[in-house]
C-alpha cells in the first residue's frame, strides 16, 4: 500500500497543471521583467496577468494591491513590522491573538522588544476570538489588528468579516494571516474590510518559497526589502516569475473548485472524527466542531504522547503531525492548545490530520484502525493509564 499523506496543512505537492504553467518561465521565457526588450516584456506581461488573477481570487479592487513575497512568513513579517513602523505618528499599539502562527507571534514579540505595545487577546475553548474582544482592546494609539483567518493547528475559523467591520469603523488597520484559509475558504478582502492579507502557495498545491501580501491602496507601510524598484519599490529583488505564475495558477484552480472540494472534505473530516470518537475511548476533539477548516482533524489521545503515536503511524505508512509542523520535533506543548485551556498532558497527545485532494475514505479507515491499535498498545504500557484504570 502506498504511504498515506495526511499532512496537507504542512505542505502540498505541486499540481500538474501548476507545474506545466510554470515550466516555460524557467527556460523559454526566462527574461527579467525589468528589462525593456521583448523577453523582459513577455515576463512582465505574465507577471501582470498573475497579479490580476490573484487580485480576482481574493476580491481585491486593484491588481497593484498584490505584492509577491518569498513565503507566508515574509508576508506576515512585512505586514506587522512595515505597518507599525510606518504609522508611529499615530501610535505604537498592536493587537493580536494567543493562537497565531509563529510568523506572527514571534514578529509581535520582536516589535514588543523594540518599544511597541502589544495586546495578545485570549481565545475561547475552541481557539476563537470575537469581534467584541477586538473592539474592547482598541485604543486611540492602536495602529493594527492581526488575527489569523483559520488556525493552522486546530483549523478553527475566526469571524474575520465581523472583526473587519469593527476595525474599519474605528479607523484601525486590519491584517489577517490567511495562509491556511486560502484554497479552503472564499476570500474577499473588500467585503470583509481586510487591509492586509497573507497567503503562501505551498498550502494550495503551488510551489514552496512563494507568498503574497495584499496591501490595500492607501495603507501606509514601510518597504520590506531595499534595493531595486520591483513590486512598486516596496519589495526589491528580481521577481520569481515561474513561482509567481505557479501561485496564481494554483490559487485560481483552488478557487474554481472550492465548493466541491470543501463539501467532499467536510464529509470525510466529519466521518473521521466520528469514527475516532466512537472507536477510541479517552479521546478529545481539539478545535471548533463546525467552524473549522474542511480538512482538519485534531484530536488528543489521552495518556499517550504524540511523538509515540507519530512514530507508530509512520511505521504503518501514515504521515501526520503533532500540533503544527513547525512545532513538531519539539517537546513543548503547543501554545495554541494551551491558550485554549487544554491541560498540558492532553495537549501533548494532540495529533493533526489534514486531508487533501488524494485523501480517500479507505485511507481514513486504515488510519482509524491503526489509531485504535496503537491506542490500545501504548496505553497498556503507559504507567499513568495503568494507575488510573487498574
Ligand atoms: C497560519 C500560517 N501562517 C504562516 C505560515 C508560514 O508560511 P510559510 O511556510 O510560507 O512561510 C504557516 C505555515 O505553516 C501557517 O500555517
Amino acid at each position: 500500500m502506498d504511504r498515506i499523506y495526511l499532512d496537507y496543512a504542512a505542505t502540498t505537492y505541486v499540481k500538474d497543471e501548476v507545474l506545466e504553467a510554470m515550466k516555460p518561465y524557467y527556460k523559454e521565457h526566462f527574461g527579467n521583467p525589468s528589462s525593456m526588450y521583448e523577453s523582459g516584456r513577455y515576463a512582465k506581461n505574465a507577471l501582470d496577468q498573475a497579479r490580476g488573477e490573484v487580485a480576482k481570487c481574493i476580491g481585491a479592487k486593484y491588481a497593484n494591491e498584490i505584492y509577491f513575497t518569498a513565503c507566508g512568513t515574509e508576508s506576515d513579517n512585512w505586514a506587522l513590522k512595515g505597518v507599525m513602523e510606518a504609522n508611529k505618528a499615530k501610535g505604537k499599539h498592536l493587537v493580536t491573538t494567543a493562537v497565531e502562527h509563529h510568523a506572527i507571534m514571534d514578529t509581535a514579540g520582536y516589535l514588543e522588544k523594540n518599544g511597541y505595545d502589544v495586546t495578545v487577546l485570549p481565545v475561547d475553548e475552541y481557539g476563537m476570538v470575537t469581534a467584541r474582544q477586538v473592539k474592547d482592546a482598541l485604543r486611540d494609539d492602536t495602529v493594527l489588528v492581526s488575527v489569523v483567518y483559520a488556525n493552522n493547528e486546530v483549523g478553527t475559523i475566526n469571524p474575520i468579516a465581523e472583526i473587519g467591520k469593527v476595525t474599519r469603523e474605528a479607523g484601525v488597520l486590519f491584517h489577517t494571516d490567511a495562509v491556511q484559509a486560502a484554497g479552503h475558504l472564499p476570500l474577499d478582502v473588500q467585503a470583509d474590510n481586510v487591509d492586509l492579507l497573507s497567503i503562501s502557495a505551498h498550502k494550495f498545491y503551488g510551489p514552496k518559497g512563494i507568498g503574497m501580501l495584499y496591501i490595500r491602496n492607501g495603507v501606509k507601510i514601510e518597504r520590506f526589502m531595499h534595493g531595486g524598484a520591483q513590486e512598486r519599490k516596496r519589495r526589491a529583488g528580481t521577481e520569481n516569475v515561474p513561482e509567481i505564475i505557479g501561485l496564481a495558477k494554483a490559487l485560481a484552480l483552488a478557487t474554481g473548485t472550492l465548493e466541491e472540494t470543501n463539501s467532499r472534505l467536510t464529509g470525510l473530516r466529519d466521518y473521521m472524527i466520528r469514527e475516532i470518537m466512537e472507536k477510541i475511548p479517552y479521546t478529545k476533539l481539539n478545535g471548533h466542531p463546525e467552524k473549522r477548516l474542511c480538512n482538519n482533524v485534531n484530536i488528543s489521545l489521552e495518556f499517550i504522547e504524540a511523538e509515540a503515536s507519530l512514530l507508530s503511524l509512520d511505521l504503518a505508512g501514515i504521515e501526520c503531525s503533532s500540533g503544527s509542523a513547525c512545532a513538531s520535533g519539539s517537546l513543548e506543548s503547543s501554545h495554541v492548545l494551551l491558550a485554549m485551556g487544554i491541560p498540558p498532558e492532553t495537549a501533548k497527545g494532540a495529533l493533526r490530520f489534514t486531508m487533501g485532494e488524494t485523501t480517500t475514505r479507505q485511507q481514513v479507515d486504515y488510519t482509524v484502525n491503526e489509531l485504535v491499535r496503537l491506542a490500545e498498545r501504548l496505553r497498556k504500557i503507559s504507567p499513568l493509564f495503568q494507575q488510573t484504570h487498574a
Side-chain angles (χ1 to χ4, degrees), residues 139-152:
R139 314 188 310 216
D140 289 346
D141 63 340
T142 308
V143 169
L144 179 69
V145 170
S146 182
V147 175
V148 66
Y149 202 125
N151 183 268
N152 50 300

Side-chain angles (χ1 to χ4, degrees), residues 8 183-184 205 259-271 293-297 354-360:
Y8 280 91
H184 290 124
Y205 307 95
E259 270 179 43
E260 200 183 303
T261 312
N262 207 306
S263 92
R264 187 183 87 87
L265 290 180
T266 303
L268 218 46
R269 174 198 73 188
D270 292 344
Y271 171 70
L293 287 173
C294 60
N295 70 335
N296 178 295
V297 175
T354 43
M355 305 166 175
E357 216 183 38
T358 62
T359 313
T360 61

Side-chain angles (χ1 to χ4, degrees), residues 176-252:
T176 182
D177 174 346
V179 168
Q180 292 291 342
H184 290 124
L185 298 169
L187 302 176
D188 193 336
V189 288
Q190 286 185 81
D192 293 349
N193 291 312
V194 166
D195 300 297
L196 302 109
L197 176 140
S198 308
I199 65 170
S200 179
H202 74 107
K203 306 294 186 180
F204 47 86
Y205 307 95
K208 293 173 184 55
I210 186 80
M212 186 283 298
L213 180 64
Y214 159 78
I215 308 173
R216 184 178 56 74
N217 282 345
V219 168
K220 267 171 75 184
I221 185 163
E222 275 301 318
R223 58 193 302 184
F224 192 63
M225 302 263 260
H226 295 83
Q230 292 90 353
E231 300 298 279
R232 276 140 311 205
K233 291 195 178 157
R234 282 178 154 171
R235 200 268 183 191
T238 301
E239 300 89 341
N240 187 346
V241 180
E243 297 211 348
I244 289 171
I245 303 296
L247 181 147
K249 180 76 183 175
L251 189 62

Side-chain angles (χ1 to χ4, degrees), residues 280-284 300-306 308-309 344-350 374-389:
I280 312 175
Y282 311 109
T283 304
K284 184 184 178 304
S300 282
L301 298 179
E302 309 257 20
F303 310 102
I304 301 173
E305 293 249 342
S309 306
E345 321 80 78
T346 308
K348 281 196 170 150
L374 80 84
E376 277 173 13
R377 198 174 64 244
L378 293 173
R379 280 177 184 156
K380 260 192 204 134
I381 56 169
S382 155
L384 190 62
F385 185 77
Q386 293 306 327
Q387 267 168 30
T388 41
H389 296 83

